Amino acid sequence: ALSRVDSLVAAAVGVVEEGLSDGDLNISGCSIVSTVEKHEQLATYLASTPSKVMFPWAAGVDALETSSLLPGSFNPIHKGHVEMCGNEGGWYELSIGNVDKGFIAASEVKERCAAITELGGRVMVSNAALFSDKLLGWKMLNNNADVEFRVGDDTYVRIIDPKYYGDSEENMEKAMKELYDGGATFLVYPRTGGGEGAQPDPRPGVEYAKEWEKVDISSSEVRAGTKTAF
């Protein structure tokens, strides 16, 4: 028999396992992740299951009130992240798996999520490294609602880099079209300092933040001690 955490994870992605009734598949009971032990159990589950899962790291979350999601590793979270997520109740999304960085340990997931919630943020935990999987996870949790992904331009450069699509420009364009057709849009924030930065992208569904004071900071600089997070 599946544990309650397993049941809730199954609910989050619409995965019906043998032995579960429809009544078990109800994410409104996610208070199960209100303790440290269950948090770590969930993070471990996400690292091991082949299913693509997105799950609110909080107790009693029943409905998502906004349509924006800021993906990142938040190692650590800093003022740039907070300004990008906004004050209107957007969600952070910590993916425990990254196409470039591998998996994050369960204990580290707990620490990073705690840092976000201590600042008043709301965070999703997922094992969705690809934006197509993030979109699917969001729709499963939010009644098929559309989503605005908020990303820095350095991240957006990687999103449209053909090397992540088998070095195929055609595959990349097809994947991006599927995202837009599926209800995803991108709000891209320019950054200063290192990296090439994205030029305005003519694709539909891409908007560049205009009323935005560039924040010249990165998590790697905070870790190196060359800049402070806030």
Side-chain angles (χ1 to χ4, degrees), residues 105-124:
S107 58
E108 187 67 23
V109 171
K110 180 188 69 175
E111 291 180 8
R112 296 185 196 181
C113 288
I116 293 172
T117 56
E118 285 172 5
L119 292 170
R122 302 186 300 176
V123 58
M124 293 284 179

Side-chain angles (χ1 to χ4, degrees), residues 138-189:
W138 177 270
K139 284 181 169 290
M140 288 289 186
L141 285 171
N142 202 20
N143 298 317
N144 208 40
D146 294 344
V147 62
E148 175 187 81
F149 290 116
R150 298 187 175 188
V151 297
D153 60 1
D154 55 339
T155 296
Y156 191 70
V157 164
R158 295 195 297 273
I159 293 171
I160 60 175
D161 188 338
K163 83 173 185 178
Y164 296 112
Y165 305 87
D167 286 319
S168 168
E169 188 85 20
E170 181 181 353
N171 288 346
M172 181 274 289
E173 293 291 358
K174 179 181 177 182
M176 296 305 293
K177 184 178 186 302
E178 289 175 352
L179 282 173
Y180 303 140
D181 290 347
T185 57
F186 289 87
L187 182 59
V188 182
Y189 290 81

Side-chain angles (χ1 to χ4, degrees), residues 72-90:
S73 56
F74 311 112
N75 183 31
I77 187 171
H78 56 65
K79 60 185 177 182
H81 295 137
V82 174
E83 293 188 26
M84 288 169 64
C85 195
N87 298 318
E88 69 277 19

